[in-house]
Amino acid sequence: MKPRGRKLVLIGMALAFVGAAIMMVLNAFEDNLVFFHTPTEVHDKNVPYERTLRVGGLVAPGSVKRAEDSTLVRFEITDNTKAIHVQYTGILPDLFREGQGVVAEGQLKKNGDFVASRVFARHDETYMPPEAAEALNRSSNPSESGSDNLSENKGY
């Protein structure tokens, strides 16, 4: 084989190797990618069942129900428009309470319940994830699309 042919074969093999590596990285990202949704988006969109996602909003007042014989907790997350039922087994963060901002990571079941594997509470009184602040602003002020009142005081 001529030197030019060898170079083309080498370049072709290198491109195939790089392409395969890129495909493997993208596949790994797809498996580990977790999307954030509000309760309204979960109700209105076609959110996939049995796939890991995050639902964020406020813990609905009066919704927290704890099992007496286990660490099972049931509560609702609301964005002041719609709410979603959440079931979590484990120890909740210290800052978890009714009316407080929370993000639950888990899977939406076909019966409409969200089974959380992790629950995150706000870390101080002024912080709220930008996505959650924007979603709460949209749901409480649907006519004001440019308003960003909740995310002005991010605390960082």
Side-chain angles (χ1 to χ4, degrees):
M1 189 182 289
K2 294 183 180 180
R4 181 176 176 167
R6 284 190 203 131
K7 284 183 186 178
L8 287 175
V9 168
L10 211 63
I11 290 172
M13 289 176 59
L15 287 174
F17 178 76
V18 168
I22 289 173
M23 291 295 290
M24 289 171 43
V25 168
L26 290 176
N27 190 29
F29 277 135
E30 183 180 330
D31 291 343
N32 293 320
L33 198 58
V34 178
F35 292 101
F36 176 86
H37 298 281
T38 65
T40 299
E41 291 173 345
V42 171
H43 283 286
D44 295 346
K45 285 186 172 180
N46 189 12
V47 176
Y49 296 110
E50 309 294 331
R51 177 155 180 153
T52 302
L53 57 105
R54 289 183 179 171
V55 176
L58 301 173
V59 178
S63 70
V64 178
K65 310 285 186 244
R66 298 175 189 268
E68 292 184 23
D69 58 343
S70 69
T71 58
L72 175 67
V73 181
R74 296 177 194 271
F75 58 96
E76 289 184 356
I77 296 177
T78 182
D79 59 2
N80 296 327
T81 302
K82 294 191 177 176
I84 186 167
H85 298 282
V86 179
Q87 176 181 317
Y88 176 69
T89 302
I91 298 173
L92 291 166
D94 291 337
L95 294 175
F96 179 89
R97 62 183 172 271
E98 295 176 359
Q100 191 76 328
V102 68
V103 174
E105 182 177 294
Q107 296 181 348
L108 183 65
K109 300 301 178 185
K110 294 190 184 209
N111 66 0
D113 286 346
F114 186 80
V115 178
S117 56
R118 298 169 69 183
V119 174
F120 307 97
R122 298 192 325 192
H123 62 76
D124 72 324
E125 295 179 19
T126 59
Y127 176 78
M128 182 175 288
E131 298 92 350
E134 181 182 330
L136 284 171
N137 272 332
R138 278 186 304 203
S139 67
S140 61
N141 299 323
S143 61
E144 300 176 22
S145 60
S147 176
D148 196 20
N149 296 333
L150 290 177
S151 62
E152 286 176 6
N153 190 7
K154 293 184 181 174
Y156 55 153

